[in-house]
Amino acid sequence: MDINGKYSLSYFFTVDNVEVYTEQTELDSLIYKLLENLALNYGIGNIKNLFTQNYKASDRGNKCINLGNNCFLFHFRISSTDNPRIAIAITQEGISASNTEFPESVRIIFVLTSPKEMPDIYLKIYKSLKDFLTNLNVNAIIAQKNPNEIWNFINQNATELPDIIYANDIMDEVKVSLLENNNLKDAIDLIVKTGYLNIPVVDLEGNLIGEVTSHELMEVCLPGYIIWMNDMTPIVNFEPFQNMIIHEDKTWLAEIMNYNCLTIQKYEPFIKAAIAMTKTSVSQVYVLDDKKLVGTISLRFFIDKIFRE
């Protein structure tokens, strides 16, 4: 902690929590070793249960958080601690893993244990780690000769933890989008292919125009007067969909898209996305840099970040 009461990454670990390996190391044994390190130094509880129940028994993809620059974070929420703790492993020859999706090029992993009831501290450490590694040649860390030099390097180069988490810090990347000159057929194809039920529509400059949602597609096919009819005989053979199917490649998105989708600016607080979704019963917020679409925050994404990841 500095004179302004700010915490830096180096506050959450010591040289005793840095391990350096000169040979290739297996991922699972590395995770266990780092948990063991934290248990010996800080008494974080039963690490056998933590390892088997929170790591091995779960979808390990949920614990494997890509920080960029060939560095990964493994996060464990625990009840048996009042303070977050970090252990670091640096390998000269890489990490082998049974999970074929884990990149062989990874050289540095971080294990973070944080108090279960403090989701904000996890998000702030994640943000600080990501900023530190994004702006760095990772070989500069690997080149340090021992744990003491590594701790000093991180202490001198890492930024302080932020006071507030902004949308730009945690948002999801834009994985799919449509252009304003696409048609209904394009939208249906993309919904079916990707499984996304809310798809943003942008112009050629990447500015957000609106969105196509599966719910609104259904409302186009099944307008209100049909939904509330007591006699379903006229629609039991899906007749309202027939006209839409026939004309799907001639129906432009401008005719069906929602122009009043939920947005926040990238430097507004992350929590504002959750408040906006709760107030409007909408499941996704679009993050803008002025008018340009730069990210998304879905309700599922928010819940995962706060309660599970």
Side-chain angles (χ1 to χ4, degrees), residues 31 50 53-56 58-66 72-77 102 110 112 122 307-309:
I31 298 296
L50 198 60
Q53 296 175 12
N54 291 50
Y55 176 69
K56 291 290 284 185
S58 67
D59 178 0
R60 280 181 285 172
N62 290 337
K63 295 291 179 190
C64 182
I65 303 159
N66 190 350
F72 276 75
L73 168 67
F74 293 81
H75 179 221
F76 296 83
R77 298 174 190 267
F102 191 80
F110 299 82
L112 166 65
Y122 157 62
F307 292 102
R308 287 294 180 268
E309 181 178 282

Side-chain angles (χ1 to χ4, degrees), residues 269-297:
F270 180 59
I271 189 65
K272 187 175 178 180
I275 294 171
M277 287 187 283
T278 303
K279 281 183 176 178
T280 57
S281 298
V282 169
S283 61
Q284 181 159 284
V285 174
Y286 297 102
V287 183
L288 304 182
D289 180 2
D290 193 11
K291 296 179 181 178
K292 187 173 183 178
L293 178 64
V294 294
T296 64
I297 300 173

